[in-house]
Amino acid sequence: MAQTLHYITGGNTPLHSKGELNWPNVGDEANIVFVDASCSAEAVARRSKRVATLFKGEFVSGSFQ
């Protein structure tokens, strides 16, 4: 499942094929979509409710309140 993540991250995956940390790194842009899911598999395989979206570290949609 983790290796399929590269399809939506521009080729990045959390670990290299040898298990070493690859991404994210300090200094990377903070662009992320937070969803309501019990695990990463659920977030990828189902249409989970979008809770919040950050673009360059700023909320552009939703919140955690």
Side-chain angles (χ1 to χ4, degrees):
M1 184 64 80
Q3 293 304 309
T4 62
L5 188 62
H6 79 277
Y7 291 111
I8 62 169
T9 62
N12 292 322
T13 56
L15 302 175
H16 286 294
S17 60
K18 294 181 181 180
E20 298 170 359
L21 181 63
N22 179 47
W23 172 83
N25 295 296
V26 173
D28 287 349
E29 285 189 357
N31 301 327
I32 190 165
V33 175
F34 294 93
V35 296
D36 184 12
S38 62
C39 62
S40 59
E42 181 182 348
V44 172
R46 301 184 190 271
R47 288 188 162 220
S48 301
K49 179 183 175 191
R50 185 181 300 177
V51 176
T53 303
L54 268 72
F55 179 70
K56 295 186 178 183
E58 299 290 330
F59 283 97
V60 294
S61 176
S63 70
F64 291 121
Q65 296 178 4

